[in-house]
Amino acid sequence: MQKLVSVVIPVYNQEELVLKAIDSIPESDNIEVIVIDDCSTDDTLYNIMDYKHKNLLVLVNHENKGVGYSVNRGLDEAKGKYVVLLGSDDYFYTNNFNACLKELDGTDLVYFDLMINDGTIFHLDPSTKRNYCGSTKFIRREFLGNTRNPEEKRAREDWYFYQELLKKNPTEKYTDL
């Protein structure tokens, strides 16, 4: 059975925060979690390998290649109908994540809002979506196709990736979640 969602988490030297990120993803037969360790020099890989999550796939870069390369490896492995990116120092509100799953209806990009640590909420809509291009959307994998992060970029690679997705004229849905 095909998974509904693949959560892709690139990680570098986030030995404690990455576990919070993984914990924020509900365990479900419908969800796979793909963590890509980018040659961490702390205990990140050890902690992930020791972690018990039913649908966890761990990929390891044997040299530091950057977040763009790591995300691309995760995208290449993703089997879900939808893919969502999650920073290793970020996390989902589990109830909102489950509510978002109910919104996945074949739309190419399904957006959700972003809350930062001080409680400020960044609402995504057609006028703000370009401001928050990272972990703020589910991407239909069939729509994604071969679009990937530019691996030569070591900063703002998510912005360039998002611009390429927008060039494909996606259908979009804003959940307000």
Side-chain angles (χ1 to χ4, degrees):
M1 180 175 119
Q2 183 180 22
K3 304 282 187 203
L4 177 61
V5 173
S6 300
V7 181
V8 175
I9 306 173
V11 62
Y12 176 74
N13 287 350
Q14 293 288 340
E15 63 188 54
E16 293 178 23
L17 290 176
V18 70
L19 299 182
K20 185 175 183 178
I22 296 168
D23 278 338
S24 74
I25 303 162
E27 279 202 44
S28 166
D29 289 337
N30 240 354
I31 301 168
E32 69 176 345
V33 180
I34 304 169
V35 179
I36 308 92
D37 180 69
D38 194 20
C39 201
S40 294
T41 58
D42 64 0
D43 285 335
T44 295
L45 184 57
Y46 174 80
N47 289 352
I48 295 168
M49 297 303 285
D50 197 43
Y51 196 75
K52 307 294 186 260
H53 192 286
K54 188 172 169 183
N55 292 311
L56 179 66
L57 171 63
V58 178
L59 304 175
V60 178
N61 296 341
H62 295 289
E63 64 180 85
N64 183 271
K65 300 280 228 166
V67 69
Y69 176 88
S70 298
V71 166
N72 290 346
R73 280 196 73 194
L75 294 175
D76 290 343
E77 290 293 325
K79 305 288 188 273
K81 291 180 183 177
Y82 279 85
V83 176
V84 63
L85 307 178
L86 180 63
S88 59
D89 59 346
D90 296 332
Y91 58 94
F92 294 116
Y93 285 99
T94 303
N95 290 339
N96 284 2
F97 186 89
N98 285 328
C100 282
L101 295 182
K102 294 175 184 171
E103 300 289 332
L104 303 179
D105 59 1
T107 304
D108 297 329
L109 301 176
V110 179
Y111 296 92
F112 51 90
D113 294 342
L114 175 70
M115 181 188 302
I116 60 174
N117 289 335
D118 69 4
T120 302
I121 296 175
F122 296 103
H123 178 71
L124 275 91
D125 62 33
S127 68
T128 63
K129 69 182 182 185
R130 290 181 187 264
N131 298 336
Y132 315 109
C133 56
S135 302
T136 57
K137 68 194 133 318
F138 289 85
I139 307 164
R140 193 169 59 84
R141 193 166 55 89
E142 190 174 292
F143 165 77
L144 174 68
N146 292 323
T147 305
R148 296 295 184 265
N149 278 285
E151 293 177 9
E152 71 281 359
K153 301 283 184 197
R154 286 290 188 145
R156 297 187 60 193
E157 72 293 326
D158 55 345
W159 187 85
Y160 293 101
F161 173 66
Y162 183 49
Q163 300 314 305
E164 291 303 311
L165 291 176
L166 291 177
K167 287 178 186 176
K168 295 168 77 169
N169 196 27
T171 58
E172 299 175 303
K173 183 179 196 178
Y174 301 88
T175 65
D176 296 324
L177 295 169

